[in-house]
Amino acid sequence: MISEDLARPVASTQDGTHPRPQLLRSAWTDLSGPWRFAFDDLDRGLREQWWLSWPDADREIVVPFPPESPASGVGDTTYHPVSWYRRTLSPADLDAAGHVDGERLMLRFGAVDFRCRVWVDGQVVATHDGGHTPFSCDITDALGQGEHVIVVRTEDDPHDIAQPRGKQDWRESPHIIWYHRTSGIWQQVWLESVPPVAVESLHWTTDPRSATVTAALRLTATPHEPVPVRVRLTYDGAPLAETSTTLSTLETTVVIAVPALTNGQAYEELLWSPEHPRLVDATVDVGADRLSSYLGIRTAEVARGHFLLNDRPYYVRSVLNQGYWPQSHLAAPSADALRLEAQLIKDLGFNATRVHQKFEDPRFLHWADRLGLLVWAEAPASFTYSTVSVERTVREWLEIVQRDYSHPSIVTWVPLNESWGVQHIAHDTRMQHFARALVGLTKALDGTRPVVSNDGWEQVDTDILAIHDYSWDPDVVDARYRDRASVDALIDGIGPAGRRLVLSGAVDDAPVMLTEFGGISYDIDAVDDAWGYSSATTSDDFAKRLAGLLDAVRHSEVLAGFCYTQLADTEQETNGLVRADRTPKLPLEHLRAIVTGDRPS
């Protein structure tokens, strides 16, 4: 057993500031803030060894904001494929990270777009490809004497359309639905000290039917001798379950029986949902390593034309969210901004959000978990189909499924959208195999959530029939989705966007959802090149158009949910319910009444 007086203190899982909110240690230090910075347009840095001798022509950048954004202090949106970062580590940084002799000092990055190399005290400690996924490096053995220096080289070619880009524009200026780029370091960088044998990843799987919670543990190294493991679960401050074992392998699963779930009349009092976002706190001790975590007990599946949450049909009211801010682009302006974003979505009357073409910051997922908001997790797409694009897409997708597996808020995975990156999937069997493979790989890692193979149209083996329809006329929308016969006519014929909805796989039992519609532009800020799928001229016109479409969708006897486009104005795309600064375009209570349908007759 682990001695209580020697164990590390328990870290709080509730403030939403930690970059990995479900894998917390008590000591860590955020390396955000001013770093030295240099563009390297001529790609001289490798030849001139800038990791050893920093260039004279340098400037300062505020990490983790991308250099294209105003918040970074650079604000340069022109093409700069290569950039360099430099920061010193002070003794205070090491102390704040809890570093002591005999432990390993870990340098962690939330996301760096797209390719990077990291040096510490002149030694390469990491290379990483993938602009949206985290990575770590053990810098202990690289630390020299005296001042310690981190140098990072990033490479992000805007013309490389084989890399997953999402909504980042390949052109120099934004156009239509694509926005200014986010390159370089754009999520948190932090430092923490861990024991020689420590937990590298922790996945929670909950099964209320068998009254169990399973913790899947992967360690940083195989133990030389068995180490004690203890997992303790509490709910609302009271003990819920505990188990102890020993671990001698790199990976293991620990099954924790939860007796409170065996009460068939009371087990639902522990279940997580948007209406009751109940979270179970967890403490995990593995040898000398102590972690704080949390989990939500719930099930998410599809059957008989319904999306089921905790075995009950659940109507999904979702909003498309680009996760983009004018001052910081894809990077969140602050941890609190992510909390406010999740709360705004709920205040508007939605119970779900589809984070579009972006792997969202885990701190947002933390607040979705804590506040009660369903999330559809969607991959940023590449813009071409090739061996390279397939390799990159699969690698990032599998890494993100691993990263976000334990968040109860995530109820659906979306690896492809509107045939982006597989533009000829209707005719190219290679692309169809790729879409099926993504579905299969996702389910191989996670069999607890539905998967949408290709949101919008041209779907193969999908769990949810997700349709995109930007008709502006409520009567047209009503006629298309009013009853089963109308929807079957769409499935058997050509969809609203002029493409087939289903290429293969049975969908008779799949729930049907309208996962993109609306897109009404109401440009009250006189944005240059304002764009939307249809336009409103006054607030009354906007309210009438919005209510007409949402009423038509709710009138459907078939639809199991919807996703309105979109939450916020984003650069030239002015079809948000709120402005880019998140100010509602109508009184919030008016928007909420339209979204929920709870309006005076």
Side-chain angles (χ1 to χ4, degrees), residues 21 60 90 111 156 162 186 231 245 269 335 368 413 418 454 489-490 544 562:
E60 193 170 85
S90 68
D156 188 12
W186 69 277
V231 181
T245 185
E269 295 174 4
W413 296 115
E418 289 188 350
N454 184 20
L490 286 179
K544 180 179 179 181
F562 65 79

Side-chain angles (χ1 to χ4, degrees), residues 179-193:
Y179 317 134
H180 277 308
R181 290 170 296 284
T182 291
S183 65
I185 299 172
W186 69 277
Q187 286 188 21
Q188 281 173 287
V189 185
W190 74 103
L191 200 66
E192 66 177 349
S193 186

Side-chain angles (χ1 to χ4, degrees), residues 547-594:
L549 285 175
L550 281 161
D551 286 346
V553 169
R554 272 191 298 270
H555 187 241
S556 169
E557 300 172 358
V558 181
L559 293 177
F562 65 79
C563 180
Y564 181 81
T565 303
Q566 61 187 9
L567 176 64
D569 287 354
T570 308
E571 296 201 325
Q572 75 282 357
E573 195 174 356
T574 55
N575 50 22
L577 297 174
V578 301
R579 294 179 171 95
D581 65 1
R582 280 42 177 183
T583 305
K585 293 183 179 179
L586 297 173
L588 192 143
E589 60 275 12
H590 190 181
L591 285 171
R592 181 182 180 88
I594 292 174

Side-chain angles (χ1 to χ4, degrees), residues 44-91:
R44 299 162 38 210
L46 290 175
R47 297 191 305 273
E48 297 175 5
Q49 299 185 326
W50 284 5
W51 64 92
L52 294 175
S53 178
W54 190 253
D56 293 332
D58 68 334
R59 62 205 303 181
E60 193 170 85
I61 190 170
V62 180
V63 168
F65 303 123
E68 295 88 354
S69 71
S72 71
V74 178
D76 188 336
T77 60
T78 56
Y79 294 144
H80 295 290
V82 179
S83 299
W84 290 73
Y85 297 74
R86 182 182 189 275
R87 188 194 194 278
T88 59
L89 289 178
S90 68

Side-chain angles (χ1 to χ4, degrees), residues 327-344:
Q327 293 300 311
S328 54
H329 296 193
L330 291 179
S334 66
D336 200 48
L338 294 166
R339 177 186 63 82
L340 293 172
E341 189 91 319
Q343 187 63 61
L344 173 63

Side-chain angles (χ1 to χ4, degrees), residues 520-569:
I520 303 167
S521 172
Y522 179 32
D523 177 21
I524 51 180
D525 292 325
V527 174
D528 292 339
D529 301 320
W531 189 90
Y533 293 91
S534 64
S535 297
T537 55
T538 65
S539 60
D540 287 344
D541 185 31
F542 180 56
K544 180 179 179 181
R545 289 172 178 266
L546 184 63
L549 285 175
L550 281 161
D551 286 346
V553 169
R554 272 191 298 270
H555 187 241
S556 169
E557 300 172 358
V558 181
L559 293 177
F562 65 79
C563 180
Y564 181 81
T565 303
Q566 61 187 9
L567 176 64
D569 287 354

Side-chain angles (χ1 to χ4, degrees), residues 147-316:
E147 184 179 68
H148 303 303
V149 178
I150 303 170
V151 176
V152 181
R153 177 187 184 271
T154 71
E155 183 179 341
D156 188 12
D157 181 356
H159 300 112
D160 183 358
I161 57 174
Q163 73 182 50
R165 309 191 62 84
K167 299 298 285 285
Q168 298 185 59
D169 210 322
W170 64 98
R171 298 181 183 176
E172 190 158 331
S173 298
H175 76 294
I176 312 177
I177 59 169
W178 288 278
Y179 317 134
H180 277 308
R181 290 170 296 284
T182 291
S183 65
I185 299 172
W186 69 277
Q187 286 188 21
Q188 281 173 287
V189 185
W190 74 103
L191 200 66
E192 66 177 349
S193 186
V194 302
V197 176
V199 175
E200 179 60 28
S201 71
L202 169 63
H203 289 164
W204 297 106
T205 303
T206 65
D207 186 358
R209 295 154 186 165
S210 66
T212 60
V213 168
T214 300
L217 297 165
R218 185 170 73 245
L219 305 184
T220 55
T222 302
H224 294 302
E225 57 185 34
V227 295
V229 177
R230 181 166 62 175
V231 181
R232 285 165 290 176
L233 306 180
T234 62
Y235 176 67
D236 200 20
L240 190 63
E242 180 175 336
T243 192
S244 297
T245 185
T246 58
L247 173 59
S248 57
T249 57
L250 192 66
E251 296 182 327
T252 194
T253 55
V254 179
V255 180
I256 307 105
V258 183
L261 289 173
T262 62
N263 185 330
Q265 303 307 313
Y267 79 97
E268 291 185 345
E269 295 174 4
L270 282 175
L271 299 187
W272 183 96
S273 69
E275 292 71 29
H276 302 286
R278 304 179 181 102
L279 295 177
V280 174
D281 290 313
T283 303
V284 179
D285 293 302
V286 179
D289 197 16
R290 165 165 283 193
L291 303 172
S292 294
S293 187
Y294 68 86
L295 55 106
I297 300 171
R298 62 107 186 92
T299 61
E301 56 198 332
V302 296
R304 300 185 180 183
H306 295 284
F307 172 78
L308 302 179
L309 185 68
N310 298 324
D311 283 333
R312 307 291 192 275
Y314 193 89
Y315 190 82
V316 176

